[in-house]
């Protein structure tokens, strides 16, 4: 009874791990959502908006107050001011934003370049939009890309490149030089850049986020995607947005209108206030996640994993070979059922699944108490798994 397109992709591995975690009472470090409260001011603003009767459809491309706030926020952090009337569309999360961006710009068969490991939604997004994905590996140990390999992936058939920095799952933050390499290729091959910047404010150490639309000649060929989910710990609100030149925005708004009509109206009002939070909020966010990163890094290292220190976002890719393990899915299931901590098998982030076969991904978007408990459980790995490495 099902349409062929449903066979083009499998069920989300992350959600499957979440189910498995619940079944075994394991701590869920698979799915990237906070288990701690959203800021009070954000919650109060939502309650207030409902009381004030912002309860009917907002304008399909987003409440004016929120589009204005996105424009102000873009000026504040990136130094340019997109026109709220013609360049900003509010969506149901970055998830809908990516789908709408691809549906609005890609004809079936057009090539779209994606770095791997990638956020798992990009594959079904491509399947639905008809994009033909061309993968370029982020290479270990530091998850950087080889500029020549990237160049080789571009061709006259390239419609767009999807960039996600800070990156899920690798924790990599691309440098200015890397962003300039990508931008130069987009200009040379007349390609679009669709940039998923949902972790733009979650950065560690000296790393800075370069928003590619700010590079010369890029604003007119970039669709910038972000949202409230990660920065304000409100993944359930489903508020995201796209910034794109007017002619692209026209197409995006049409797709968005018929996909979802609009994002939740009262939550758009609350989101507008959140985007104006002062610098202290953003500093605290980095400090909060920096501390969580350190707790999980230490726990994983002490348990025996080999880990790459994330520069941004809130995930750690861990190598399972020190335990003599060679199959990520088997190891993830073992960790969930026997140790009580659920990760995501690494292969789910690669088109060539072999590249992720010896990795699992953990999120640290959890309270320090949850993370400490997870680390205590992971410490048992030292005794439970025979390690030829030790
Ligand atoms: C890279 C990336 N993009 C998008 C999303 C989804 O964002 P939203 O909740 O705004 O749909 C996630 C969530 O994990 C993500 O990791």
């Amino acid at each position: 009874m099902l349409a062929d397109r449903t066979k083009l992709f499998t069920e989300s591995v992350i959600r499957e791990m979440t189910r498995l975690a619940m079944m075994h009472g394991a701590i869920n470090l698979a799915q990237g959502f906070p288990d701690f409260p959203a800021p009070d001011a954000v919650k109060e603003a939502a309650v207030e908006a409902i009381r004030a009767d912002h309860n009917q459809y907002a304008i399909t491309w987003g409440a004016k107050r929120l589009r204005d706030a996105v424009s102000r926020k873009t000026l504040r952090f990136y130094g340019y001011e997109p026109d709220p009337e013609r360049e900003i569309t509010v969506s149901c999360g970055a998830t809908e934003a990516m789908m709408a961006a691809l549906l609005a710009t890609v004809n079936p068969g057009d090539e779209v370049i994606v770095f791997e490991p990638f956020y798992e939604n990009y594959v079904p997004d491509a399947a639905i939009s008809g994009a033909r994905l061309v993968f370029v590996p982020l290479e270990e140990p530091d998850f950087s890309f080889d500029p020549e390999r990237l160049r080789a992936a571009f061709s006259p058939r390239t419609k767009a490149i999807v960039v996600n920095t800070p990156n899920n799952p690798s924790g990599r933050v691309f440098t200015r030089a890397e962003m300039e390499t990508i931008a130069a290729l987009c200009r040379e091959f007349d390609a679009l850049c669709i940039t998923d910047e949902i972790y733009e404010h979650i950065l560690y150490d000296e790393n800075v986020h370069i928003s590619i639309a700010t590079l010369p000649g890029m604003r007119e060929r970039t669709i910038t995607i972000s949202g409230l989910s990660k920065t304000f710990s409100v993944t359930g609100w489903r508020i995201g947005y796209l910034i794109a030149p007017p002619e692209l925005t026209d197409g995006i708004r049409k797709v968005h209108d018929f996909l979802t009509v609009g994002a939740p109206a009262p939550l758009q009002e609350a989101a507008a206030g959140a985007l104006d939070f002062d610098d202290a909020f953003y500093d605290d966010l980095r400090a909060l996640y920096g501390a969580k990163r350190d707790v999980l890094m230490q726990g994983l290292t002490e348990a025996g994993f080999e880990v790459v220190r994330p520069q941004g976002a809130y995930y750690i890719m861990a190598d399972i070979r020190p335990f003599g393990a060679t199959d990520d899915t088997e190891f993830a299931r073992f960790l969930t059922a026997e140790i009580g901590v659920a990760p995501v098998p690494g292969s789910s982030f690669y088109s060539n699944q072999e590249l992720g076969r010896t990795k699992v991904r953990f999120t640290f978007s959890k309270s320090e108490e949850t993370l400490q408990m997870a680390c205590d459980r992971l410490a048992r790995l030292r005794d439970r798994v025979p390690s030829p490495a030790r």
Side-chain angles (χ1 to χ4, degrees):
M1 303 286 269
L2 291 173
D4 293 344
R5 76 173 69 84
T6 64
K7 299 182 193 113
L8 292 173
F9 42 88
T10 52
E11 206 191 335
S12 161
V13 177
I14 296 177
R15 277 184 278 283
E16 191 197 319
M17 289 310 298
T18 295
R19 257 200 314 278
L20 208 63
M22 283 166 80
M23 198 169 99
H24 291 285
I27 297 170
N28 184 356
L29 300 190
Q31 209 170 359
F33 62 85
D35 68 345
F36 47 87
D40 281 339
V42 177
K43 293 190 287 195
E44 288 309 320
V47 172
E48 198 42 53
I50 289 173
R51 289 222 175 89
D53 242 331
H54 290 283
N55 294 314
Q56 311 308 326
Y57 301 125
I59 298 169
T60 178
W61 48 83
K64 176 157 170 48
R65 208 177 140 217
L66 177 52
R67 283 179 290 118
D68 287 349
V70 170
S71 180
R72 270 198 306 280
K73 166 251 173 190
T74 308
L75 180 63
R76 170 177 166 195
F77 289 104
Y78 305 116
Y80 73 102
E81 197 172 8
D83 179 355
E85 301 310 322
R86 299 165 68 228
E87 295 181 287
I88 296 173
T89 309
V90 175
S91 61
C92 293
T95 301
E96 191 225 335
M98 183 58 75
M99 190 73 260
L102 290 171
L103 285 172
T105 58
V106 170
N107 283 313
D110 284 352
E111 291 187 358
V112 174
I113 297 170
V114 171
F115 292 104
E116 63 178 344
F118 48 72
Y119 172 52
E120 65 166 3
N121 279 33
Y122 301 154
V123 170
D125 287 349
I128 292 168
S129 64
R132 211 177 77 71
L133 293 182
V134 176
F135 296 97
V136 174
L138 296 177
E139 292 167 27
E140 288 161 74
D142 61 352
F143 292 107
S144 58
F145 61 84
D146 173 352
E148 287 313 312
R149 248 176 130 156
L150 181 61
R151 162 170 285 278
F154 274 84
S155 80
R157 294 179 302 282
T158 306
K159 184 65 192 260
I161 179 168
V162 172
V163 176
N164 168 223
T165 180
N167 184 256
N168 170 13
S170 70
R172 186 68 217 287
V173 175
F174 283 159
T175 60
R176 179 173 287 277
E178 285 172 315
M179 297 305 271
E180 280 170 354
T181 300
I182 298 168
L185 288 166
C186 287
R187 290 190 299 263
E188 182 182 335
F189 287 88
D190 195 19
L192 294 171
C193 182
I194 306 176
T195 163
D196 178 345
E197 304 188 359
I198 193 82
Y199 298 103
E200 63 189 313
H201 297 296
I202 303 181
L203 296 157
Y204 310 113
D205 311 322
E206 304 308 312
N207 296 288
V208 285
H209 173 60
I210 309 293
S211 190
I212 201 163
T214 63
L215 298 185
M218 288 307 289
R219 191 168 157 196
E220 56 263 39
R221 58 176 68 255
T222 298
I223 301 175
T224 304
I225 292 172
S226 193
L228 278 278
S229 285
K230 311 291 177 175
T231 306
F232 299 98
S233 305
V234 287
T235 57
W237 279 21
R238 315 308 307 128
I239 305 283
Y241 52 86
L242 310 94
I243 304 170
E247 57 283 12
L248 292 178
T249 296
D250 277 351
I252 288 166
R253 285 181 173 182
K254 277 192 256 179
V255 172
H256 158 74
D257 188 2
F258 294 107
L259 272 180
T260 64
V261 179
L267 305 184
Q268 291 194 46
E269 296 296 323
L275 289 178
D276 284 334
F277 281 176
D278 62 12
D279 291 349
F281 170 82
Y282 292 93
D283 293 343
D284 289 351
L285 183 74
R286 287 179 196 214
L288 178 86
Y289 277 113
K292 294 181 193 305
R293 177 192 66 166
D294 293 346
V295 170
L296 190 59
M297 277 292 288
Q298 189 176 344
L300 290 173
T301 309
E302 284 178 6
F305 289 94
E306 257 170 40
V307 287
V308 180
R309 190 177 168 83
Q311 301 171 328
Y314 48 49
Y315 307 93
I316 298 176
M317 279 288 243
D319 200 313
I320 60 178
R321 281 173 294 189
F323 304 103
T326 51
D327 185 293
D328 61 324
T329 305
E330 207 176 276
F331 190 80
R333 286 176 182 278
F334 156 78
L335 220 55
T336 307
E338 306 291 328
I339 301 294
V341 179
V344 183
S347 56
S348 57
F349 303 106
Y350 290 87
S351 65
N352 173 2
Q353 302 211 330
E354 286 316 305
L355 293 176
R357 202 57 82 196
T358 57
K359 298 181 189 43
V360 292
R361 188 202 73 176
F362 297 89
T363 179
F364 49 91
S365 60
K366 306 294 168 194
S367 69
E368 279 190 40
E369 194 185 3
T370 309
L371 292 173
Q372 201 50 64
M373 206 170 9
C375 292
D376 292 346
R377 291 184 183 189
L378 288 168
R380 283 191 254 147
L381 268 175
R382 289 196 145 268
D383 316 321
R384 296 286 291 271
V385 182
S387 169
R390 267 186 238 120

